[in-house]
C-alpha cells in the first residue's frame, strides 16, 4: 500500500522551489532536477506538479514561485483556522506567560513563531489572542516573499505585530518562547536534535512546537488526503499536505530529539496516551519549559490536559 | 408535508447551501483573518447566487407548466419530485446544522475541530453527489417530465462555488502582481 512507503525520504514540493546561496541570494531552480528528485523517491505526483509550474527557460519562474507560495500559505491559513490551531496555541501560551510572570520575569515576553509563513497565527494572536500586556508577537520566516505578504496582510487589517525575514534563532531581540506548527517534520534525525539545540537557553524559557499526531499510517494518509482534497484548491497544497502528515515524527523519536537538543528543558508531549481520537488530535505539541516553570505550567493547564513527560515516553527505548 | 411547506423548505435549504458554498469559496483565498463583515459579504454573494439558481430552476419548470389544462397536475408532479428531494437533502442538512452548531458554540476547540474533520470537511466532498442524488431521486419516477428541472437544479447548485470563485477571486489566482 502506498501509505506504507518510506515517508521519511519523501519530498514536499514547496521545499524545493526555493534555493539561496550563503549570502541569501536567490539561485535558479532547474525544473527537471527537481522533478527528477521526486521521481527518484517514486513520487510521480510530485514530479508532475513540478513540471506544470511556470518556467523561464529550463528554470522555475521565481516570481511565479513567490506567488504560488503565498497562495499555498493562504490555503494553509484556512486549514490552521479549521483545526483551531491558534486557539490551541493560545491555550498553551497563557499558562506559560502567567507562570513566567509568577516567577518574576518582568521584561517583555517575546513569542516567536518559527517558519510563520504569511503569519496567520501571529496575526490571529495579536488581534484575537487576548494575551497579557508585555507579550510581543513576532513571526519569522526565511522566505522574504512570505514575510512581505505577512506584513501586507497585517497592515491591511491594522494588526500591530512584527514579521522578520530572518533566522528565528538568531534575532537581535531574542525569543522568550519559541513556537511553530508544521515545521519540525522537515528536520530528520540529527537535524531535529540540532533544531532543538538552536533554542538558546540564555533567553528561551519555553517552546511549543506542533506537528501532526502520529496516528496509524493508513488513517493519517486517508485523513490527510480527504481533508486536503476538501479544503485545498491547489494541487501542490494537497500533495504537500499529505506528505507532511506522513512525515511526522513518532512520539518517542520527537521527545528524544527535544530532550537531547534542549537538555535545559523539561520536555513533554501534550495529548492523551495512544494518540487519542484522530478527529480531535490532528496536531500535537511537544512542549519544553525551564524546570522552574514546569510544575506551575502543568498546574495551570489543569486536569483535563494530559502532559506526557519525556521520561515516560522514552522508557524501554 | 403540504405543497407549500415542501416548496418553502426546498427554497430554504437551497438558500443555506448557497450561503455556505459562497462562504467556503471565500475562505483560504488571501490569508486574512475572518471578520463578521467579510463573512456576511460572502453570505450575501450566496444569497445572490441562490436567487439566480431559483430563477433558473423556475425557468426550467416553465415548459411543464405552459398548458393551462394540465398546469395543476404538472405542478403536483413537480412538488412530488421536490418531496422526494427532501428525503435526500434533509438528513444531510440536519448533519450539517448539527456540525455547524458544534463548531460555533461547541465550547472546546477539540469539539470544534472534530465537527470540521468528521462532518463538515468530508461532507464538502460529498455535497455534489448528494445534490445529484436528490435530483435523481426526484426525477426517477417520471423522467420525461422532470429531467429538465432536476438537471438545472444540479447544475446551478454545483456551479455556485466555482462561479463565485471565478467572479470574486480570479484576480487572486497566484496573484498577478509580484510579491514583496
Amino acid at each position: 500500500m502506498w501509505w506504507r512507503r518510506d515517508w521519511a525520504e519523501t519530498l514536499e514540493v514547496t521545499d524545493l522551489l526555493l534555493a539561496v546561496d550563503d549570502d541569501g541570494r536567490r539561485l535558479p531552480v532547474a525544473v527537471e532536477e527537481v522533478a527528477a528528485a521526486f521521481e527518484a523517491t517514486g513520487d510521480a505526483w510530485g514530479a508532475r506538479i513540478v513540471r506544470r509550474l511556470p518556467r523561464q527557460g529550463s528554470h522555475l519562474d521565481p516570481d511565479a514561485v513567490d506567488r504560488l507560495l503565498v497562495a499555498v500559505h493562504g490555503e494553509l491559513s484556512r486549514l490552521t483556522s479549521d483545526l483551531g490551531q491558534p486557539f490551541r496555541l493560545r491555550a498553551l501560551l497563557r499558562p506559560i506567560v502567567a507562570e513566567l510572570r509568577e516567577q518574576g520575569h518582568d521584561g517583555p515576553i517575546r513569542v516567536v513563531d518559527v517558519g510563520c509563513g504569511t503569519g496567520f497565527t501571529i496575526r490571529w494572536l495579536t488581534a484575537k489572542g487576548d494575551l497579557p500586556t508585555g507579550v510581543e508577537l513576532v513571526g519569522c520566516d526565511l522566505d522574504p516573499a512570505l514575510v512581505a505578504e505577512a506584513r501586507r496582510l497585517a497592515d491591511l487589517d491594522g494588526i500591530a505585530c512584527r514579521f522578520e525575514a530572518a533566522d528565528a534563532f538568531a534575532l537581535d531581540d531574542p525569543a522568550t518562547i519559541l513556537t511553530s506548527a508544521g515545521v519540525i517534520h522537515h528536520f530528520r534525525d540529527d537535524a531535529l536534535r540540532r533544531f532543538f539545540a538552536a533554542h538558546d537557553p540564555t533567553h528561551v524559557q519555553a517552546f511549543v512546537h506542533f506537528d501532526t499526531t502520529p496516528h496509524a499510517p493508513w488513517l493519517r494518509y486517508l485523513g490527510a488526503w480527504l481533508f486536503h482534497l476538501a479544503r485545498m484548491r491547489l494541487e501542490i497544497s494537497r500533495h504537500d499536505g499529505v506528505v507532511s502528515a506522513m512525515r511526522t515524527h513518532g512520539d518517542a523519536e520527537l521527545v528524544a530529539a527535544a530532550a537531547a537538543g534542549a537538555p535545559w528543558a523539561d520536555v513533554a508531549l501534550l495529548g492523551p496516551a495512544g494518540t487519542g481520537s484522530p478527529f480531535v488530535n490532528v496536531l500535537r505539541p511537544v512542549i519544553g519549559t525551564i524546570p522552574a516553570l514546569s510544575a506551575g505550567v502543568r498546574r495551570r493547564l489543569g486536569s483535563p490536559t494530559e502532559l506526557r513527560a519525556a521520561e515516560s515516553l522514552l522508557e524501554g527505548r | 408535508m403540504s405543497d407549500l411547506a415542501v416548496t418553502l423548505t426546498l427554497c430554504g435549504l437551497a438558500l443555506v447551501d448557497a450561503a455556505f458554498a459562497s462562504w467556503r469559496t471565500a475562505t483560504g483565498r488571501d490569508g486574512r483573518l475572518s471578520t463578521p463583515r467579510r463573512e456576511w459579504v460572502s453570505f450575501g454573494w450566496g444569497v445572490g447566487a441562490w436567487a439566480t439558481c431559483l430563477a433558473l430552476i423556475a425557468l426550467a419548470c416553465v415548459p411543464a407548466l405552459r398548458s393551462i389544462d394540465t398546469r395543476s397536475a404538472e405542478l403536483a408532479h413537480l412538488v412530488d419530485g421536490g418531496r422526494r428531494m427532501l428525503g435526500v437533502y434533509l438528513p444531510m442538512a440536519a448533519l450539517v446544522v448539527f456540525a455547524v452548531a458544534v463548531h460555533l458554540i461547541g465550547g472546546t476547540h477539540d469539539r470544534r475541530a472534530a465537527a470540521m474533520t468528521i462532518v463538515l470537511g468530508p461532507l464538502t466532498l460529498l455535497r455534489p453527489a448528494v445534490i445529484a442524488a436528490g435530483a435523481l431521486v426526484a426525477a426517477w419516477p417520471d423522467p420525461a417530465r422532470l429531467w429538465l428541472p432536476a438537471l438545472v437544479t444540479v447544475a446551478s447548485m454545483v456551479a455556485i462555488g466555482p462561479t463565485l470563485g471565478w467572479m470574486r477571486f480570479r484576480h487572486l489566482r497566484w496573484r498577478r502582481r509580484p510579491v514583496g
Side-chain angles (χ1 to χ4, degrees), chain A residues 54 67-68 70 74 77-78 82 88 120 123 128 145 148-149 152-153 157 159 226 230-231 233-234 279-280, chain B residues 24-25 27-34 38 109-110 113-114 116-118 121 124-125 174-175 177 179-180:
Chain A
R67 293 195 298 270
L68 175 63
V70 165
S77 68
R78 177 191 200 185
D82 277 0
R88 293 171 193 276
F120 180 82
R123 284 182 284 119
K128 305 181 183 182
E149 181 67 1
R152 189 184 76 85
L153 294 174
D157 289 337
I159 299 171
L226 266 177
R231 286 289 179 260
R233 298 180 182 93
L234 296 167
F279 305 113
V280 170
Chain B
R24 276 196 306 275
T25 299
T27 57
R29 292 287 179 178
D30 61 3
R32 287 178 79 176
L33 302 186
S34 67
R38 237 166 262 153
H109 35 258
D110 280 353
M116 198 57 83
T117 55
I118 297 171
T124 304
L125 289 177
W174 285 30
R175 300 183 171 277
R177 60 173 183 75
V179 173

Side-chain angles (χ1 to χ4, degrees), chain A residues 96-115:
Chain A
I96 294 173
V97 168
E99 195 56 27
L100 274 168
R101 291 292 186 228
E102 177 96 4
Q103 297 290 323
H105 188 103
D106 293 330
I109 295 173
R110 198 166 295 110
V111 178
V112 175
D113 186 1
V114 185

Side-chain angles (χ1 to χ4, degrees), chain A residues 18-57:
Chain A
L18 280 176
V20 292
D21 64 16
D22 291 340
D23 298 324
R25 279 189 298 259
R26 191 90 170 250
L27 298 172
V29 176
V31 175
E32 282 309 315
E33 280 180 26
V34 177
F38 281 95
E39 283 168 345
T41 62
D43 184 355
W45 186 14
R48 202 168 55 243
I49 290 170
V50 171
R51 289 201 171 100
R52 285 204 295 250
L53 294 176
R55 309 171 179 220
Q56 285 181 346

Side-chain angles (χ1 to χ4, degrees), chain A residues 187-217:
Chain A
F187 300 97
R188 316 306 305 183
D189 305 322
D190 196 51
L192 183 61
R193 186 198 59 77
R194 289 201 304 274
F195 173 85
F196 286 102
H199 293 50
D200 178 1
T202 318
H203 306 284
V204 178
Q205 309 286 297
F207 57 80
V208 180
H209 296 295
F210 288 84
D211 217 358
T212 309
T213 310
H215 298 292

Side-chain angles (χ1 to χ4, degrees), chain A residues 88-141:
Chain A
R88 293 171 193 276
L89 178 58
R90 180 178 69 179
L92 290 171
L93 286 179
R94 281 177 171 166
I96 294 173
V97 168
E99 195 56 27
L100 274 168
R101 291 292 186 228
E102 177 96 4
Q103 297 290 323
H105 188 103
D106 293 330
I109 295 173
R110 198 166 295 110
V111 178
V112 175
D113 186 1
V114 185
C116 69
T118 49
F120 180 82
T121 301
I122 288 291
R123 284 182 284 119
W124 188 94
L125 284 171
T126 307
K128 305 181 183 182
D130 198 22
L131 292 169
T133 52
V135 175
E136 295 176 7
L137 294 158
V138 182
C140 280
D141 203 289

